Amino acid sequence: MNANDVMKISPIVPVIALDDVKDALPLAKALSEGGINIMEITLRTPAGLKAIEVISKEMPSMHVGAGTVCNNVDLLEAKAVGAKFVFSPGISQELIDSSKKHNMTLIPGVATSSEVMLAQNNGIYNCKLFPATLSGGVDILKAFQGPYSKMNFCPTGGVNLENLNDFISLKNVLCVGGTWIVPKDVIKNGDFNKITQLCIEALKTIK
């Protein structure tokens, strides 16, 4: 899958920081039952890599990738456990070169015009806007449409049920990333039916 394929799997990409590997598979199943078949599991916790490995082996129908991939080591570790793609909070030449060398789909984070240019000049046309609301939100994405007409974005950071459609309605937005459909306390309590309901609610909200 290329980055465009990844960003078209679902209009919502759950951004997940898992504390316990045992929650990985039940969460994947809950998301799938709610109509979402993609997961970005961040490397912010020690359980992240193992969770990606478990899902990639036990539930191949789920498109699972790694988030918070910041350097070449992160990328290689994510690939080794079966991640199908990686999201980064930022963009660097190191990550760009590593993704090409190791044939790993990279969706880097951008927040400024110069970073979008760096992506585009390296043949990358699908990026995460992060942190979305703090870096200008809907307004900056509208501003990017003129000079960067080939670029597509996945705004992440501050996206929620209330502003979801403001982002999704933009022609250069393919999907959004969010944590609100995977609350940490709900996962910790093992209430995976609640996760499924949050997914259904969010997808129904999209106009």
Side-chain angles (χ1 to χ4, degrees), residues 147-169:
Y148 309 118
S149 59
K150 294 180 180 179
M151 297 295 297
N152 296 309
F153 298 93
C154 172
T156 304
V159 181
N160 53 48
L161 206 58
E162 285 68 42
N163 60 18
L164 174 61
N165 280 299
D166 296 335
F167 285 103
I168 289 289
S169 64

Side-chain angles (χ1 to χ4, degrees), residues 48-69:
L49 286 170
K50 187 62 179 177
I52 293 169
E53 183 176 32
V54 168
I55 295 167
S56 64
K57 287 181 177 178
E58 301 294 330
M59 194 175 171
S61 60
M62 175 60 72
H63 299 91
V64 61
T68 322
V69 172

